[in-house]
Amino acid sequence: MKSHMKSWVPYPEDHHFTIYNLPYGVFSTEEITPRIGIAIGDHVIHLEALRKLNGLSGYALEQTLVQDTLNDFIALGKSTTVKLREDIQSQLSDSESTLARHPECLIPMSQVNMHLPVSIGDYTDFYSSKEHATNLGMMFRDPENALLPNWLHLPVGYHGRSSSIVVSGTEIKRPSGQTKPIDGPPVFGPTKRLDFELEMAFIVGKGNTLGEPISIDEAEDHIFGMVIFNDWSARDIQKWEYVPLGPFLGKSFASSISPWVVTMEALQPFALKAPEQDPAVLPYLQSEGRKNYDLSLEVSIKPMSEAPLVVSRSNFKYMYWTMQQQLAHHTINGCNVRVGDMMASGTISGVEENSYGSLLEITWAGKNPIEFPSGSSRKFLQDGDSVAMTAYARKGEIALGFGEVNGKIIE
Ligand code: MN
């Protein structure tokens, strides 16, 4: 990629949706039904309008641009989706391009509604941050043996629920469920320990046939792009129900994602080496090269009628297991994944206390409440609280962001 590109669509230097980004999403307006767009600055490029002006010729796009999910478009393959993004990149650099001559193809973000970008067939949540797994092990099991014996040998994960994944801005209803007081029988009621989990998720761009694993070397080619993922969690429900089969109702009530899918090609300038894995992993999980990404992550909580407070600053580069390893492991038994499937990283915690990716860790299970300037405090989320997460990357002139994922807790 050229490192000096300038868009004729103006935006501030620190904007998330730069010419280096160009993420895909699904938008609608009062007049336009949900369909595919690309974000640039504070505008959405209406791709179908541009195509009709012969501004996207030479592609076999069929009807994919007017679908209300990205699935069919993604299924055209990277030969098309990468080419189209590069085409838009050069049209944005050229003030004589078809797009430049037809500003009606640009719709102000203030006029659009964003939708869930993909139809998610299956969703899997991993547990790939060593710091997060260690923190939870210390809190709930044995501080001396915080990591369970399998953790350093395989990317631990569980199958989640795709039907309750919602787009940023969707209100989150506090779930009720069964919890167990320390002394006494189980009780039913609203969760008292509602939490967020700071995660990133990738979207499968190419499936595999049942019985035929995706090798670690092929894995990158099967990943379309990424979103920010807030895996809302009811800790008291989770604690009582999770033995022995793992997370269930404490997780499945909702997860929120950011609406713009940032492609792996856009993220390439921010690739770096994953942490050294010791002990060495089995051959089917071994890979070389820069497979992690340097993405700065931030979480803030905004209580009703108060200013937001940043409660965590983390980075995606802390992941011990890479996305390629997750996908290779997921399919090594022959399990087939499909276009649009979503795989979340697991909570991303850094080494420092201010880089933890959940309230459970930040408050250390409620022992150290977060204090707001107004004097109010939080151990867990209250009704009316909004949680916002952002992801941003910069390397010299090349910069991009994911926008944000936001969700407000309601009764
Ligand atoms: Mn999770």
Side-chain angles (χ1 to χ4, degrees), residues 125 197 199 231 251 347:
D125 196 17
E197 287 189 338
E199 307 193 19
D231 187 18
K251 297 282 187 177
T347 308

Side-chain angles (χ1 to χ4, degrees), residues 208-227:
N208 62 311
T209 306
L210 182 65
E212 294 177 15
I214 297 170
S215 75
I216 185 90
D217 296 325
E218 295 167 327
E220 196 155 343
D221 193 40
H222 287 257
I223 301 174
F224 176 74
M226 296 177 70
V227 293

Side-chain angles (χ1 to χ4, degrees), residues 177-189 192 236 240:
Q178 202 179 120
T179 58
K180 172 77 170 66
I182 293 169
D183 38 14
V187 295
F188 178 83
K192 295 190 177 90
D236 42 3
W240 173 228

Side-chain angles (χ1 to χ4, degrees), residues 123-127 132 158 196-199 229-233 235 238 247 251 255 344-348:
Y123 150 58
T124 303
D125 196 17
F126 284 93
Y127 191 53
H132 173 70
Y158 73 96
F196 61 80
E197 287 189 338
L198 170 62
E199 307 193 19
F229 192 98
N230 181 353
D231 187 18
W232 303 100
S233 301
R235 300 299 183 191
Q238 181 184 357
K251 297 282 187 177
S255 300
S345 58
T347 308
I348 304 160

Side-chain angles (χ1 to χ4, degrees), residues 63-206:
Q63 292 300 302
T64 56
L65 297 181
V66 287
Q67 302 294 315
D68 60 4
T69 67
L70 287 168
N71 296 54
D72 288 351
F73 175 69
I74 294 173
L76 295 173
K78 288 208 183 193
S79 56
T80 300
T81 59
V82 171
K83 196 172 143 208
L84 192 142
R85 182 176 157 271
E86 287 173 353
D87 190 347
I88 295 296
Q89 210 160 38
S90 59
Q91 293 205 41
L92 285 167
S93 313
D94 173 10
S95 56
E96 301 295 317
S97 64
T98 310
L99 179 57
R101 284 185 284 110
H102 291 280
E104 69 271 23
C105 296
L106 290 171
I107 302 171
M109 283 239 180
S110 57
Q111 292 175 17
V112 308
N113 285 313
M114 294 306 297
H115 303 267
L116 207 60
V118 283
S119 170
I120 305 161
D122 282 297
Y123 150 58
T124 303
D125 196 17
F126 284 93
Y127 191 53
S128 290
S129 153
K130 190 176 179 183
E131 288 75 15
H132 173 70
T134 304
N135 285 340
L136 265 66
M138 286 171 70
M139 257 185 265
F140 293 122
R141 287 184 298 271
D142 174 8
E144 300 300 312
N145 297 289
L147 284 182
L148 288 168
N150 60 1
W151 201 91
L152 293 168
H153 296 276
L154 55 87
V156 170
Y158 73 96
H159 289 114
R161 182 86 200 157
S162 58
S163 63
S164 53
I165 298 178
V166 296
V167 73
S168 176
T170 308
E171 292 185 327
I172 304 300
K173 192 172 174 191
R174 178 179 296 272
S176 287
Q178 202 179 120
T179 58
K180 172 77 170 66
I182 293 169
D183 38 14
V187 295
F188 178 83
T191 174
K192 295 190 177 90
R193 299 195 141 205
L194 187 52
D195 199 354
F196 61 80
E197 287 189 338
L198 170 62
E199 307 193 19
M200 300 294 291
F202 71 84
I203 292 168
V204 172
K206 187 163 112 184

